[in-house]
Amino acid sequence: MPDADVAISAIVCTRNRGATITATVRGILANDYGGFELVVIDQSSDDTSRDSIAEFLADPRVHYLRSGTKGLARARNIGISTARAEFIAMTDDDCEVPHDWLERMTEALTSDRNIGVVFGNVVTGPHDTAAGFISAYERKSAFVATSMRDKPKVEGIGACMGIRKSVWQALGGFDEMLGAGSRFESADDTDFAIRALMAGYRICETPKVSVVHHGFRTWKEGRRLISGYLFGIGATIGKHVRCGNWSIFHVVRALALRWAFGGPVVNFGFTPSRFVRLSGFARGFGHGFVTPVDRASAHFSR
């Protein structure tokens, strides 16, 4: 049961990213919003991240959990399972949040009782554009998706994501075969949004909620990042086709149009090659389609 004294739980997951999480934790704790907690799930193989936030661990709002598991989706599930609030706000360990992030996330989650998922803007931090890029996702106006027909209009990413814990429970959590550090590398957030819409929940995307992303990648790393991103998307589509969730073809149609006439909705600072995108998606779809699934929960079976 949710704790009445905790209005919202912030979740941050980290693995072998060193001290990058320090600014994330500091920013969340600086939020001027009463009654929140911060849950940190650390899957690192050393103590660098823990040491970097040691000064914050005495704060009663902070709950630090060390886990020997691997995978972002699994870490998110661990964090949410221990969270005491109904409303959950998630960001990544290389992001900074503004002082009103939790307040605005709560407002978005409570703007409609049918909203189960919220995505906000992910803005690029300062970086050398000659050396590389930082991925981002921004929209100018709010939109609420009410069905799978609307899914192509809401493409937010987990770096700025809010959910209701009751929805997470109803959907069986994040699919742990998806997401960074997993077999299928990405798309745990996309898959969760798809399953939420299929279950009748709404998704709100709003520019009123935002974070600054500092996850710099070199241009050389870009090809691998894009391939992994589409690999996860392809696996997600393959899973839902195997489950007989035919409304997923609204997503397939949108992806095909973007491949033919444009680029991904996530801004990578450049237009990725069509070959890299198609090959990544095709590999992911093939692997996802032949991987056993639990049709009742629409999760991959381990």
Side-chain angles (χ1 to χ4, degrees), residues 153-182:
K153 300 175 185 178
V154 287
E155 299 286 358
I157 55 181
C160 188
M161 182 179 185
I163 64 174
R164 292 176 182 262
K165 185 170 181 176
S166 56
V167 173
W168 172 84
Q169 291 170 326
L171 298 179
F174 287 87
D175 189 329
E176 296 181 359
M177 294 279 278
L178 295 165
S182 73

Side-chain angles (χ1 to χ4, degrees), residues 47-229:
D47 294 326
T48 305
S49 293
R50 186 189 187 284
D51 292 345
S52 73
I53 60 171
E55 63 181 292
F56 305 114
L57 298 184
D59 190 317
R61 297 172 297 177
V62 178
H63 305 281
Y64 172 88
L65 300 174
R66 189 66 172 267
S67 175
T69 61
K70 182 179 179 182
L72 179 56
R74 184 173 294 185
R76 284 175 170 164
N77 283 340
I78 292 171
I80 297 168
S81 69
T82 63
R84 293 182 290 160
E86 162 68 356
F87 303 126
I88 308 292
M90 294 181 292
T91 191
D92 290 345
D93 61 359
D94 55 3
C95 294
E96 285 188 84
V97 309
H99 68 91
D100 60 352
W101 183 61
L102 294 175
E103 179 181 5
R104 291 185 175 274
M105 183 67 81
T106 302
E107 289 174 351
L109 283 165
T110 57
S111 61
D112 182 329
R113 63 184 179 85
N114 293 313
I115 288 175
V117 181
V118 169
F119 287 111
N121 282 359
V122 179
V123 183
T124 57
H127 63 287
D128 181 358
T129 56
F133 66 97
I134 296 175
S135 56
Y137 178 81
E138 297 182 62
R139 68 177 305 136
K140 295 181 179 179
S141 59
F143 180 80
V144 176
T146 61
S147 71
M148 280 297 292
R149 289 183 180 274
D150 293 331
K151 177 61 186 72
K153 300 175 185 178
V154 287
E155 299 286 358
I157 55 181
C160 188
M161 182 179 185
I163 64 174
R164 292 176 182 262
K165 185 170 181 176
S166 56
V167 173
W168 172 84
Q169 291 170 326
L171 298 179
F174 287 87
D175 189 329
E176 296 181 359
M177 294 279 278
L178 295 165
S182 73
R183 175 179 176 182
F184 292 119
E185 303 185 26
S186 71
D188 59 319
D189 43 10
T190 298
D191 174 69
F192 189 90
I194 288 170
R195 289 187 287 117
L197 284 173
M198 288 181 173
Y201 301 104
R202 296 179 179 181
I203 298 176
C204 171
E205 278 198 356
T206 173
K208 291 183 178 180
V209 186
S210 67
V211 302
V212 178
H213 188 203
H214 297 288
F216 179 81
R217 304 293 184 102
T218 65
W219 294 116
K220 185 177 181 180
E221 293 172 319
R223 180 186 179 97
R224 178 72 184 86
L225 178 71
I226 301 300
S227 179
Y229 175 72

